[in-house]
Amino acid sequence: MVKRSKPLRGFINERDVGVELKMNKKLDDNDSLPTLDLQRSKGSMGALDDGCYNVVLENGVKLDGIEHEPETVAIKDAVKVLLQGLGEDVNREGIRKTPLRVAKALREGTRGYKQNVKDIVESALFPEVGVENGTGLAGGAGGLVLVRDIDLFSYCESCLLPFQVKCHVGYIPSGQRVVGLSKLSRVADVFAKRLQDPSKLADDICFGLHHGINPTGVAVVLKCSHIHSPNFQSAFLESNHKRLSSIIVGSGLGTFENPDSADWVDFFGLLRCRDITLDNIRSRNLFKDSWCPSRSQKLGPSVNPSMETAVALILRSLGQDPCKKELAGTPNRFVKWLLSFKDSNLEMKLNGFATIPLKTSGLINHKEHIIRSEVNLSLWSLCEHHLLPFYGLVHIGYISGEEINPIGKSLLQSIVHFHGFKLQVQERLTRQIAETVSPLLGEDIIVVVEANHTCMMSRGIEKLGSNTATIAVLGRFSNDHLARSQFLQTIPSYSL
Amino acid sequence: MVKRSKPLRGFINERDVGVELKMNKKLDDNDSLPTLDLQRSKGSMGALDDGCYNVVLENGVKLDGIEHEPETVAIKDAVKVLLQGLGEDVNREGIRKTPLRVAKALREGTRGYKQNVKDIVESALFPEVGVENGTGLAGGAGGLVLVRDIDLFSYCESCLLPFQVKCHVGYIPSGQRVVGLSKLSRVADVFAKRLQDPSKLADDICFGLHHGINPTGVAVVLKCSHIHSPNFQSAFLESNHKRLSSIIVGSGLGTFENPDSADWVDFFGLLRCRDITLDNIRSRNLFKDSWCPSRSQKLGPSVNPSMETAVALILRSLGQDPCKKELAGTPNRFVKWLLSFKDSNLEMKLNGFATIPLKTSGLINHKEHIIRSEVNLSLWSLCEHHLLPFYGLVHIGYISGEEINPIGKSLLQSIVHFHGFKLQVQERLTRQIAETVSPLLGEDIIVVVEANHTCMMSRGIEKLGSNTATIAVLGRFSNDHLARSQFLQTIPSYSL
């Protein structure tokens, strides 16, 4: 094991701009890295040990043929247990292949365990002269190289949900050589494709590059965004529920080990206009333990032991030890989160609501019937094809002489949550909302759902910025495109 | 061959908001699709014929082991000819592996020729009920489903440079079924990973989905952005040279064939806040032929027949017929563009410049020496590892009592272009600029280069939003981080 130093680490939680700064100290050679069991190799590997794996491909790891591998089959079976725990018929057409999809996504999303940083980097170290000794810092000898705004995603080790990462990586070349720029991104991705928490991810990338390039210094700053995970009750209580919890972390090695190093000044100087400064990273408080929203709740008693066992089995099939500290509560958290989408949890809640007349009675009958709308209702749901969350906004339009009364809006929100908190597809959700509100709001209904799908971000296609809009129309809205258009114009612009 | 209809097609060129709208007509069964030769299969395939290829992978095509395939070897050899034509030593360490990198990137970037749309889509058609007959449109029977903001890149068939695509795809479900949302993105990517032009890309995606899903209607709107390709002369003449040329195109089938269809109103209604409207698509002028900047120049006589032959060979190794109409001028355009980065073209131009004193003489000597800067100098260059452009801004700082005279700025721009218009790496470029300006501006020099690398966008990693900043310092800037910081703060924020 080469000598390593423990990276500088800082945290900022946007909720409180709280922060930590750990000073670095050199570790002894005997300070070992955490080891991870990887079932397949039947051995243990340090996250950065070299030579354990030679599966290094230029364009993402080769994962074809994994369908029949025992790990994939084991995860598939475990996901079936989860679906059954949710009260689902695992042979229902929409979810019949969900276990396979989930298994493949998880294995692909953790492919970084099988990738070898050093090989990636070493093939792309290029000789590059610096300036004459003592005259300056540039080229292959000094002078910061910073790749900004690398989009990644990773899986949260605390709850198994994917989180987004905006990654900034810098290093100071030494030894008259530079590394191919794309390798900074590739190495970052190797560590993102593991079960992670933000500061560990920053440290891993930092150490990986330090070890691979052997530069004067290397620094990593990440902004990580984790989806919130309300349940029906909390989502309903907090109508403006934050969709994402963000944290900024940093890690540095070599000349970046000292948080007062002038190299950090360069790093943040070149990182301008991204609301990230050295002062942020230098603040004090530590929100490490609450960055994942599910960690803010205490671990409860096992709600469903067979489901938790299934999640532990998934972790093991991913080569991880479910008993290790970081993962000890993960099955409990994941199952608790998953069960918040159990259909039957909510069946009762809407009972009685549907017959309440929504329109304020006694209003003027001669008033012209116009298009009314209730926009920006919060949505949380679970994609039944991938068991991953999707979230966004619902807009409802109707034609009436009367506006709904104030209680009406919260009822509509309740209907959205009622249909949201279960295994869904967006198209069905949109239709169901339309059909449910029709008895309350009349036969002329338009529903628009705008949502971000985590499955679009975290699987092979990785289309981070994409989002989906669906529309359902009843009655007059089916034929009257001017009415539709008029309603669509009332939807406020909003970045999902 | 199934009956197909010719898609609606519209163009908007942002330079002039010019547009075209072709009305659709049903084609006869005899109207054939353009066929493409794919060398490997020794057969011809329509872009959408089924069954020719079964290489359908969930996460991108399998391309490992391609290094030794004859097509890859042929492209490698051709790229060596190109490098030699540029006067390069193909055994120089920095570019020794460039032929292989280019070959792999091109083959990966055109992998869509081997992917089969129908298989991708059919595996993800899910039963989904609609609403009761006649009461509305929703779920698996009507009601637009729109996936917005899918980021793609493609290769321009006119010049072989990659272009960026922001893709919006919508369809109206029919037959009580919906398609998995990610498949819309995957199918779009199948056609993006070919040699394309924007309107053909929109048509291909549209037809592929129509054929695969058989929906009531399908529509595609793309905003495509193509890098400009100035040479040393034109870049210097137009100091504010536009970096990207953009065009918006649309294509529709089924109910979207009629440009006056109400479904388009829904489409654009849901696409709000993206500066794209039905009126745009409806405008008249046509910029199809000039969207690729290299097409605005007439095809010249062959400047280097052996290089052009090499490019034709590359096209053939990608399975394309270099003689077909769309590709006939491509070798000429590509070689002309490539030769604009030939080092020796420019060696003469800087001669004599370096001895011109830049500082206005006779200024007050007692004036305090302060940090001066010249920011936002344009940069165009060519990544020597991938033969792909990178472009951005250069900022130069120096310490002096005097500002440079007005001629000085254009000289600095000239120096940037001098070092830019050749095979480069950003780290070297930054150092070279610093070293070249030092005799003119004094021993205290700082140079910052901010650049977008096409190779980061168009290769396996596809980090579309990332960009790279490098820094070189001489003299006092090497030790004085406050001076560095002070200079960095003078750089205006700018989105590359």
Side-chain angles (χ1 to χ4, degrees):
Chain A
M1 175 79 64
V2 293
K3 200 174 179 83
R4 76 175 291 224
S5 48
K6 200 161 177 232
L8 157 76
R9 188 188 291 173
F11 300 93
I12 304 165
N13 188 296
E14 291 199 335
R15 280 173 287 185
D16 205 337
V17 197
V19 181
E20 170 210 40
L21 183 70
K22 283 191 196 162
M23 293 304 292
N24 301 289
K25 66 177 183 74
K26 296 274 179 193
L27 298 186
D28 292 331
D29 284 359
N30 296 334
D31 287 15
S32 63
L33 289 167
T35 54
L36 307 167
D37 289 321
L38 190 79
Q39 197 185 42
R40 212 177 161 198
S41 73
K42 304 293 180 208
S44 78
M45 65 181 289
L48 290 154
D49 283 352
D50 300 323
C52 287
Y53 295 92
N54 293 313
V55 188
V56 179
L57 297 178
E58 184 69 5
N59 297 288
V61 83
K62 172 186 165 187
L63 277 172
D64 40 286
I66 62 167
E67 293 194 15
H68 306 295
E69 290 180 0
E71 294 87 346
T72 310
V73 174
I75 298 175
K76 265 173 67 178
D77 290 342
V79 174
K80 280 183 195 162
V81 173
L82 297 177
L83 288 171
Q84 281 158 343
L86 286 169
E88 293 285 337
D89 169 10
V90 294
N91 293 315
R92 176 160 72 82
E93 183 130 20
I95 61 169
R96 203 165 42 84
K97 287 188 185 166
T98 296
L100 178 60
R101 282 188 213 101
V102 173
K104 285 174 77 176
L106 282 171
R107 295 203 67 206
E108 286 155 13
T110 55
R111 65 183 181 219
Y113 287 119
K114 301 189 180 178
Q115 292 174 310
N116 183 324
V117 173
K118 209 166 180 182
D119 287 353
I120 291 177
V121 171
E122 275 184 346
S123 68
L125 281 171
F126 301 101
E128 189 60 49
V129 299
V131 291
E132 231 174 276
N133 230 340
T135 62
L137 303 165
L144 180 63
V145 175
L146 177 60
V147 178
R148 307 177 292 204
D149 299 317
I150 301 168
D151 285 315
L152 305 169
F153 83 92
S154 189
Y155 278 92
C156 175
E157 64 179 16
S158 296
C159 70
L160 287 189
L161 289 181
F163 61 93
Q164 287 189 52
V165 184
K166 186 72 83 174
C167 172
H168 314 286
V169 183
Y171 80 102
I172 299 172
S174 73
Q176 308 281 328
R177 54 185 200 167
V178 297
V179 70
L181 296 173
S182 65
K183 303 304 172 188
L184 300 176
S185 171
R186 275 193 209 285
V187 169
D189 196 53
V190 162
F191 294 103
K193 293 287 183 293
R194 301 180 180 197
L195 305 181
Q196 283 290 5
D197 90 327
S199 52
K200 185 163 152 294
L201 177 57
D203 289 352
D204 283 353
I205 298 170
C206 205
F207 183 73
L209 289 170
H210 194 64
H211 192 53
I213 307 177
N214 201 18
T216 301
V218 58
V220 174
V221 168
L222 309 177
K223 178 173 179 180
C224 300
S225 301
H226 193 306
I227 191 175
H228 259 286
S229 48
N231 55 30
F232 183 83
Q233 282 76 15
S234 67
F236 198 63
L237 289 172
E238 309 163 47
S239 60
N240 284 320
H241 211 296
K242 258 185 68 181
R243 288 188 180 78
L244 295 172
S245 160
S246 293
I247 193 173
I248 297 172
V249 296
S251 187
L253 282 172
T255 53
F256 287 96
E257 277 166 48
N258 178 359
D260 296 319
S261 159
D263 290 330
W264 277 112
V265 181
D266 291 353
F267 190 99
F268 288 104
L270 288 179
L271 203 61
R272 62 221 165 68
C273 308
R274 281 170 183 77
D275 296 330
I276 300 172
T277 67
L278 191 53
D279 286 341
N280 290 151
I281 297 276
R282 276 184 176 152
S283 318
R284 289 292 142 102
N285 292 317
L286 171 58
F287 281 84
K288 181 181 175 183
D289 286 335
S290 61
W291 109 277
C292 167
S294 75
R295 288 185 74 102
S296 61
Q297 300 157 33
K298 284 199 175 141
L299 286 178
S302 179
V303 277
N304 186 319
S306 68
M307 288 174 83
E308 289 191 25
T309 305
V311 177
L313 183 76
I314 290 173
L315 293 173
R316 198 170 290 283
S317 300
L318 295 173
Q320 303 307 300
D321 175 6
C323 300
K324 75 173 180 177
K325 185 166 63 77
E326 296 84 352
L327 299 175
T330 304
N332 183 266
R333 289 189 205 97
F334 184 76
V335 169
K336 214 191 274 176
W337 168 78
L338 201 58
L339 283 174
S340 69
F341 294 96
K342 186 170 176 176
D343 203 2
S344 59
N345 280 358
L346 300 173
E347 288 299 353
M348 305 305 295
K349 299 195 193 297
L350 209 69
N351 273 353
F353 272 134
T355 53
I356 296 174
L358 263 190
K359 297 171 197 165
T360 321
S361 57
L363 271 187
I364 322 100
N365 271 331
H366 63 265
K367 199 174 166 187
E368 202 187 350
H369 279 219
I370 56 168
I371 298 173
R372 312 266 181 197
S373 61
E374 200 62 67
V375 298
N376 287 355
L377 301 162
S378 296
L379 166 69
W380 299 92
S381 193
L382 191 69
C383 166
E384 72 176 28
H385 299 148
H386 307 98
L387 289 191
L388 284 169
F390 64 98
Y391 58 95
L393 296 170
V394 176
H395 318 289
I396 299 173
Y398 56 101
I399 295 175
S400 168
E402 304 150 23
E403 283 207 76
I404 58 171
N405 63 39
I407 296 170
K409 172 155 189 177
S410 80
L411 175 56
L412 295 183
Q413 178 64 73
S414 178
I415 289 169
V416 169
H417 285 326
F418 170 77
H419 289 298
F421 279 99
K422 60 183 73 164
L423 268 61
Q424 271 290 11
V425 297
Q426 187 174 330
E427 297 89 335
R428 183 188 314 147
L429 172 74
T430 313
R431 172 182 62 78
Q432 288 175 336
I433 294 171
E435 289 178 334
T436 309
V437 300
S438 184
L440 308 170
L441 299 174
E443 60 188 9
D444 305 316
I445 299 290
I446 182 166
V447 175
V448 168
V449 177
E450 303 185 277
N452 283 321
H453 287 249
T454 320
C455 55
M456 292 285 275
M457 144 194 150
S458 63
R459 289 164 54 252
I461 49 168
E462 294 190 31
K463 296 304 178 193
L464 287 176
S466 75
N467 56 81
T468 301
T470 45
I471 192 166
V473 285
L474 298 178
R476 188 175 139 190
F477 284 106
S478 313
N479 313 309
D480 186 346
H481 77 269
L482 286 177
R484 292 207 298 273
S485 172
Q486 200 178 332
F487 170 74
L488 291 175
Q489 283 165 28
T490 68
I491 304 178
S493 76
Y494 187 82
S495 165
L496 281 173
Chain B
M1 175 76 67
V2 294
K3 201 174 179 86
R4 77 176 291 224
S5 49
K6 200 163 179 228
L8 157 75
R9 187 189 290 172
F11 301 92
I12 304 165
N13 188 297
E14 291 198 332
R15 280 174 287 186
D16 205 334
V17 196
V19 183
E20 170 210 41
L21 184 72
K22 283 192 196 162
M23 294 304 292
N24 301 288
K25 67 177 184 71
K26 296 275 182 193
L27 297 187
D28 292 332
D29 284 0
N30 296 334
D31 286 2
S32 63
L33 289 168
T35 55
L36 309 168
D37 289 321
L38 192 78
Q39 198 183 42
R40 209 173 164 203
S41 72
K42 304 293 182 207
S44 77
M45 65 181 288
L48 290 153
D49 283 353
D50 300 323
C52 287
Y53 295 91
N54 293 313
V55 188
V56 180
L57 298 177
E58 185 70 4
N59 298 288
V61 83
K62 172 185 166 186
L63 277 172
D64 41 285
I66 62 167
E67 293 193 16
H68 306 294
E69 289 180 1
E71 294 86 346
T72 309
V73 174
I75 298 175
K76 265 173 67 178
D77 291 342
V79 175
K80 282 183 195 162
V81 173
L82 297 178
L83 288 172
Q84 282 160 341
L86 287 169
E88 292 287 335
D89 169 11
V90 294
N91 293 315
R92 176 161 71 82
E93 183 131 18
I95 62 170
R96 204 165 41 85
K97 287 188 186 166
T98 297
L100 178 60
R101 283 188 211 102
V102 173
K104 285 172 78 177
L106 282 170
R107 294 202 68 205
E108 285 154 13
T110 55
R111 66 186 181 219
Y113 287 120
K114 300 188 180 179
Q115 292 173 311
N116 183 324
V117 172
K118 207 165 182 180
D119 287 352
I120 291 177
V121 171
E122 274 182 347
S123 67
L125 281 170
F126 300 99
E128 189 59 51
V129 299
V131 291
E132 231 175 275
N133 230 340
T135 61
L137 303 165
L144 181 62
V145 176
L146 177 59
V147 178
R148 305 178 291 204
D149 298 319
I150 301 168
D151 285 315
L152 305 169
F153 83 91
S154 188
Y155 277 93
C156 175
E157 65 179 15
S158 295
C159 70
L160 287 188
L161 290 181
F163 61 93
Q164 287 189 54
V165 184
K166 185 71 85 174
C167 172
H168 314 285
V169 183
Y171 80 103
I172 299 171
S174 72
Q176 308 281 326
R177 54 185 199 167
V178 296
V179 70
L181 295 174
S182 65
K183 303 304 173 189
L184 300 175
S185 172
R186 275 194 209 284
V187 169
D189 196 54
V190 163
F191 293 103
K193 293 287 183 292
R194 301 181 179 195
L195 306 181
Q196 282 290 6
D197 92 326
S199 51
K200 185 165 153 292
L201 177 56
D203 289 352
D204 283 353
I205 298 169
C206 203
F207 182 72
L209 289 171
H210 194 64
H211 191 53
I213 308 176
N214 202 18
T216 301
V218 59
V220 174
V221 168
L222 309 176
K223 178 173 178 180
C224 299
S225 301
H226 193 306
I227 191 175
H228 258 286
S229 48
N231 55 31
F232 183 82
Q233 283 75 15
S234 67
F236 198 64
L237 289 172
E238 309 163 47
S239 60
N240 285 318
H241 212 295
K242 257 185 67 182
R243 288 188 180 78
L244 296 171
S245 159
S246 293
I247 193 172
I248 297 172
V249 296
S251 187
L253 282 171
T255 53
F256 287 96
E257 278 167 48
N258 178 358
D260 295 318
S261 159
D263 290 329
W264 277 111
V265 181
D266 290 353
F267 190 99
F268 287 104
L270 289 179
L271 203 61
R272 63 219 163 68
C273 307
R274 280 171 184 77
D275 296 330
I276 300 173
T277 67
L278 191 52
D279 286 341
N280 291 149
I281 297 277
R282 275 183 175 150
S283 317
R284 289 293 144 99
N285 293 317
L286 170 59
F287 280 84
K288 180 182 175 184
D289 286 334
S290 61
W291 109 278
C292 167
S294 74
R295 287 185 74 101
S296 60
Q297 301 155 29
K298 283 200 175 143
L299 286 178
S302 180
V303 277
N304 186 319
S306 68
M307 289 174 81
E308 290 191 23
T309 304
V311 177
L313 185 76
I314 290 172
L315 293 173
R316 199 170 289 284
S317 300
L318 295 173
Q320 303 308 301
D321 175 6
C323 299
K324 74 174 180 176
K325 186 166 61 79
E326 295 84 353
L327 299 175
T330 304
N332 183 265
R333 287 188 207 97
F334 184 75
V335 169
K336 214 189 276 176
W337 168 79
L338 201 59
L339 283 174
S340 68
F341 294 96
K342 186 170 177 175
D343 203 2
S344 60
N345 280 358
L346 301 173
E347 287 300 352
M348 305 305 294
K349 299 195 193 300
L350 209 69
N351 273 353
F353 272 133
T355 54
I356 296 174
L358 264 188
K359 298 171 197 165
T360 321
S361 56
L363 272 185
I364 324 100
N365 272 331
H366 64 263
K367 200 174 167 186
E368 201 189 349
H369 279 217
I370 57 168
I371 298 172
R372 312 267 180 196
S373 62
E374 201 62 66
V375 299
N376 287 354
L377 300 162
S378 296
L379 166 70
W380 298 92
S381 194
L382 190 68
C383 166
E384 72 177 28
H385 300 148
H386 307 99
L387 289 191
L388 285 169
F390 64 97
Y391 58 95
L393 296 170
V394 177
H395 318 290
I396 299 174
Y398 57 101
I399 296 176
S400 167
E402 303 150 22
E403 283 208 76
I404 58 171
N405 62 39
I407 296 170
K409 171 156 190 179
S410 81
L411 175 56
L412 294 183
Q413 179 64 72
S414 178
I415 289 169
V416 169
H417 286 325
F418 170 76
H419 289 299
F421 279 100
K422 59 184 72 164
L423 268 61
Q424 271 291 10
V425 297
Q426 188 174 330
E427 297 89 335
R428 184 188 312 149
L429 172 74
T430 313
R431 172 182 61 78
Q432 288 176 335
I433 294 171
E435 289 178 333
T436 308
V437 301
S438 184
L440 309 169
L441 299 174
E443 60 189 9
D444 306 317
I445 299 290
I446 182 166
V447 174
V448 168
V449 176
E450 304 185 276
N452 284 319
H453 286 249
T454 319
C455 55
M456 292 285 277
M457 143 192 151
S458 62
R459 289 164 54 253
I461 48 167
E462 293 190 33
K463 297 303 176 192
L464 287 176
S466 76
N467 56 80
T468 300
T470 46
I471 192 165
V473 285
L474 298 178
R476 188 175 139 192
F477 284 106
S478 312
N479 313 310
D480 184 347
H481 76 269
L482 287 177
R484 291 207 298 273
S485 174
Q486 200 179 330
F487 169 74
L488 290 175
Q489 283 165 27
T490 67
I491 303 178
S493 76
Y494 186 82
S495 162
L496 282 173

